[in-house]
């Protein structure tokens, strides 16, 4: 059986019981244990001096191959192009894009260097699965090094509409690099459509259905021919293990944090949100909608509490420092306006909790409040549903711009910029009869079980194994693949 090679920006920390994180980490680690293979990526270490060295650690049938980054590479590849350019662009925040050609060159250079570290470790029949926006040029770098293995790519964040992607100066180089993969996986059909629209209208490529020459139909795998390559593109919505989360929620309920929360609520209803502290999550709008609820429906005052857990992320970037300041300002204003001696309307917690604690808090809450401005999938929404008590489930209030909204139709779907609409959805959720809550919960749980993370993983790998038709003759690359230093990249960007 072929080995599976997982390539991601970070390699998830693994304990004896498995990955500490959920979602991607759990799903791919299970596959690696079944087939044997390797997980390759950045160790998370920034090396201040000397050259980073590749570290290989074997744990049963899985080899963990990790390497540090130099400070320069971290600043240009990770902080720079990945998170100051691609992240805001792919989340439809063109106003926040920061672009620097040196950062782009660093992004390309690090991808090429990482690919070169992996090449000596590969076997001819390995299947390579690359994850997320940090590694868009990875397959192109592998092809330049002579690798002809099947290589798939999954994008965990949204893929933007063509007119948004055009705001990134080297947009064409990025899409050309994506076409070096054999299979592209996206979270939603809307993301597939956005990619195909770019290929047709900006990349002079062709897109049709799963069989060559068939018309392209939404929901079917797309056959893409562009930049001298032939590949497939399809939606693979990532899932969770709902029964495992339900068990975590039950066991976590005995923990001190959850017991303390129950005691301090004093029979009040609980609205619960968990997000990374990120401007794409719509946290300020969420706070304002809760304020509008208290303003327009005074009966909820002192009868409902809103808990927002927002662990820090990318704290060394100005955009994230700004969103934290804005959020804390809104928090102080709203609590100052409505708080009473025995009640604080919003509890804002800026720290990380274990999955079992979060699952137990989800189970205790009456409303799951998940309203990103834009999100690839948002597994918090799925975990909230899975954690509920089947006899007395809470209600999910979910942004229409989260990928999960395509599947969780039992949620109350809202537009995250419609403050009044979100306030009304909160009121409806807090007042919903138990029979309706149970019906919505059953529908969503059926969906979670039918498309759990194993289904996501196995479907993608099955399609990657079948994406083996002969490659079209590749055009000469117009982007330097080793360490772009000047004319090649600058000329390519200008195009």
């Amino acid at each position: 059986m072929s080995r599976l090679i997982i390539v991601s920006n970070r390699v998830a920390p693994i304990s004896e019981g498995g990955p500490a994180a959920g979602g991607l980490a759990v799903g791919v680690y299970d596959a690696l244990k079944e087939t044997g293979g390797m997980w390759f990526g950045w160790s998370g270490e920034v090396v201040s001096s000397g050259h980073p060295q590749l570290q290989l650690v074997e744990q049963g049938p899985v080899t963990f191959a990790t390497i540090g980054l130099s400070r320069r590479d971290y600043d240009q590849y990770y902080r720079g192009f990945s998170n100051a350019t691609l992240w805001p662009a792919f989340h439809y925040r063109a106003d926040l894009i920061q672009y620097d050609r040196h950062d782009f060159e660093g992004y390309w250079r690090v991808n090429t260097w990482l690919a070169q570290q992996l090449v000596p470790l590969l076997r001819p029949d390995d299947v390579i699965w690359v994850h997320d926006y940090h590694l868009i040029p990875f397959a192109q770098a592998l092809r330049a090094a002579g690798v002809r293995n099947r290589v798939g790519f999954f994008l965990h964040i949204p893929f933007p509409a063509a007119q948004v992607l055009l705001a990134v100066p080297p947009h064409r180089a990025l899409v050309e690099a994506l076409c070096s993969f054999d299979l592209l996986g996206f979270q939603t059909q809307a993301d597939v459509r956005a990619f195909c629209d770019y290929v047709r209208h900006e990349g002079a490529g062709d897109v049709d259905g799963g069989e060559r020459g068939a018309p392209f139909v939404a929901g079917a795998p797309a056959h893409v021919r562009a930049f001298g390559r032939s590949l497939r593109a399809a939606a693979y919505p990532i899932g969770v293990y709902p029964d495992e989360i339900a068990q975590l929620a039950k066991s976590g309920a005995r923990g001190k944090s959850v017991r303390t929360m129950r005691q301090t609520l004093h029979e009040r209803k609980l609205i619960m949100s968990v997000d990374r502290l990120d401007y794409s999550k719509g946290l300020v709008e969420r706070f304002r909608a809760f304020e509008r609820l208290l303003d327009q429906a005074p009966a909820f005052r002192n009868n409902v509490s809103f808990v927002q857990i927002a662990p820090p992320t990318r704290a060394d970037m100005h955009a994230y420092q700004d969103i934290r300041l804005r959020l804390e300002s809104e928090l102080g204003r709203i609590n100052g306006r409505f708080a009473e001696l025995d009640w604080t309307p919003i509890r804002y917690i800026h720290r990380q909790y274990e999955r079992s604690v979060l699952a137990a808090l989800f189970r205790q809450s009456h409303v799951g409040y998940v309203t990103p401005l834009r999100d690839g999938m948002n597994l918090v929404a799925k975990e909230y549903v899975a954690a509920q008590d089947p006899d007395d489930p809470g209600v999910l209030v979910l942004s229409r711009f989260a990928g999960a909204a395509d599947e969780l139709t039992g949620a109350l779907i809202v537009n995250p910029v419609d403050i009044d609409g979100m306030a009304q959805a909160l009121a409806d959720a807090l007042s919903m009869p138990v029979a309706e809550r149970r019906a919505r919960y059953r529908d969503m749980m059926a969906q979670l079980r039918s498309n759990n993370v194993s289904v996501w993983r196995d479907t993608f790998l099955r399609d990657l194994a079948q994406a083996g038709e002969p490659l079209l003759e590749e055009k000469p690359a117009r982007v330097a693949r080793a360490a772009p230093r000047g004319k090649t990249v600058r000329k390519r960007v200008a195009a």
Side-chain angles (χ1 to χ4, degrees):
M1 182 179 293
S2 299
R3 289 194 312 170
L4 175 62
I5 309 298
I6 298 294
V7 182
S8 61
N9 174 59
R10 287 288 300 275
V11 175
I14 305 295
S15 63
E16 290 186 4
L24 161 69
V26 174
V28 301
Y29 184 61
D30 280 354
L32 286 168
K33 288 192 298 184
E34 291 172 10
T35 65
M38 179 183 299
W39 196 336
F40 173 88
W42 177 36
S43 64
E45 180 185 7
V46 178
V47 179
S48 57
S49 61
H51 298 290
Q53 299 296 314
L54 185 68
Q55 301 292 324
L56 300 178
V57 176
E58 292 188 3
Q59 188 168 317
V62 182
T63 299
F64 295 90
T66 60
I67 193 167
L69 293 177
S70 70
R71 171 56 62 179
R72 176 186 178 222
D73 288 346
Y74 171 80
D75 286 340
Q76 293 183 339
Y77 153 79
Y78 183 75
R79 291 182 68 250
F81 193 74
S82 289
N83 288 313
T85 305
L86 291 182
W87 180 270
F90 280 42
H91 286 87
Y92 288 74
R93 291 300 304 271
D95 58 311
L96 295 178
I97 292 174
Q98 299 177 35
Y99 175 70
D100 182 283
R101 288 186 176 186
H102 296 294
D103 288 346
F104 174 58
E105 293 172 6
Y107 174 79
W108 220 269
R109 181 187 66 250
V110 170
N111 267 269
T112 301
W113 173 72
L114 288 172
Q116 291 169 347
Q117 303 303 307
L118 178 62
V119 167
L121 307 177
L122 293 176
R123 301 172 186 170
D125 62 343
D126 286 343
V127 174
I128 306 166
W129 190 4
V130 180
H131 290 267
D132 229 0
Y133 63 104
H134 314 83
L135 300 169
I136 287 173
F138 200 85
Q140 193 177 76
L142 289 177
R143 303 301 185 203
V147 173
R148 289 295 176 263
N149 301 56
R150 289 192 181 94
V151 188
F153 177 83
F154 186 79
L155 183 67
H156 291 261
I157 65 176
F159 191 88
Q163 287 300 308
V164 179
L165 184 56
L166 290 176
V168 179
H171 55 86
R172 187 178 175 90
L174 292 167
V175 177
E176 183 174 351
L178 281 172
C179 290
S180 290
F181 291 94
D182 298 301
L183 176 66
L184 298 179
F186 299 92
Q187 294 279 20
T188 69
Q189 190 58 37
D191 298 323
V192 179
R193 186 164 58 247
F195 172 76
C196 292
D197 285 347
Y198 182 98
V199 166
R200 281 182 293 210
H201 300 298
E202 300 294 335
D206 296 322
V207 179
D208 53 36
E211 298 299 325
R212 186 181 288 273
F216 174 55
V217 178
H223 187 112
V224 179
R225 292 179 295 277
F227 303 106
R229 289 276 305 173
S230 177
L231 63 148
R232 305 271 177 156
Y236 303 89
I238 192 171
V240 297
Y241 287 123
D243 295 322
E244 175 189 297
I245 292 168
Q247 187 57 45
L248 277 176
K250 292 178 184 177
S251 61
R254 297 186 291 269
K256 180 180 179 181
S257 298
V258 179
R259 293 199 311 270
T260 302
M261 174 66 72
R262 282 199 300 264
Q263 293 167 0
T264 58
L265 282 174
H266 298 298
E267 304 302 321
R268 297 185 185 96
K269 291 190 174 182
L270 174 62
I271 298 172
M272 191 79 201
S273 292
V274 178
D275 304 88
R276 288 184 304 103
L277 186 61
D278 190 283
Y279 51 77
S280 68
K281 300 301 183 180
L283 300 178
V284 172
E285 292 81 2
R286 191 180 303 172
F287 278 24
R288 290 175 179 169
F290 182 67
E291 177 187 24
R292 191 69 51 87
L293 171 72
L294 300 180
D295 195 31
Q296 296 182 347
F300 287 114
R301 298 179 191 175
N302 211 345
N303 287 312
V304 61
S305 292
F306 171 26
V307 173
Q308 172 70 65
I309 296 176
T313 181
R314 302 169 193 156
D316 55 350
M317 298 183 66
H318 291 302
Y320 294 86
Q321 296 165 3
D322 291 345
I323 188 62
R324 180 175 180 177
L325 291 174
R326 288 183 61 202
L327 195 62
E328 291 173 352
S329 176
E330 288 294 305
L331 173 74
R333 184 183 61 78
I334 295 168
N335 280 343
R337 181 182 176 193
F338 291 105
E340 299 180 14
L341 290 176
D342 63 343
W343 173 62
T344 301
I346 303 177
R347 302 184 190 184
Y348 168 65
I349 303 171
H350 190 56
R351 56 161 291 187
Q352 183 79 49
Y353 284 93
E354 294 181 359
R355 292 180 70 215
S356 59
V357 174
L358 294 178
L361 291 173
F362 289 155
R363 192 178 182 90
Q364 297 296 317
S365 62
H366 298 80
V367 179
Y369 197 12
V370 185
T371 55
L373 298 174
R374 187 74 59 169
D375 221 336
M377 178 52 63
N378 196 296
L379 293 180
V380 168
K382 294 187 174 186
E383 291 174 353
Y384 175 81
V385 173
Q388 295 309 296
D389 179 350
D391 295 325
D392 187 23
V395 180
L396 177 63
V397 175
L398 179 61
S399 167
R400 64 172 298 174
F401 300 119
D406 288 354
E407 299 174 272
L408 301 181
T409 55
L412 297 181
I413 306 297
V414 298
N415 185 322
V417 302
D418 179 3
I419 303 302
D420 287 316
M422 286 199 291
Q424 183 60 57
L426 289 175
D428 292 343
L430 290 165
S431 307
M432 188 178 291
V434 66
E436 182 179 353
R437 288 189 276 123
R438 287 172 181 165
R440 289 173 177 268
Y441 164 79
R442 285 194 297 269
D443 288 346
M444 291 189 287
M445 278 297 285
Q447 173 63 33
L448 294 183
R449 288 193 172 107
S450 67
N451 188 41
N452 65 27
V453 70
S454 291
V455 173
W456 164 77
R457 176 197 70 213
D458 295 344
T459 304
F460 184 94
L461 292 176
R462 178 203 65 200
D463 290 354
L464 179 57
Q466 295 172 355
E469 66 179 29
L471 304 178
L472 298 180
E473 182 179 354
E474 295 189 47
K475 295 179 180 178
R478 290 182 289 171
V479 179
R481 287 172 175 147
R485 299 192 291 274
K487 289 185 178 179
T488 305
V489 170
R490 286 197 287 271
K491 184 177 180 181
R492 188 69 190 88
V493 169

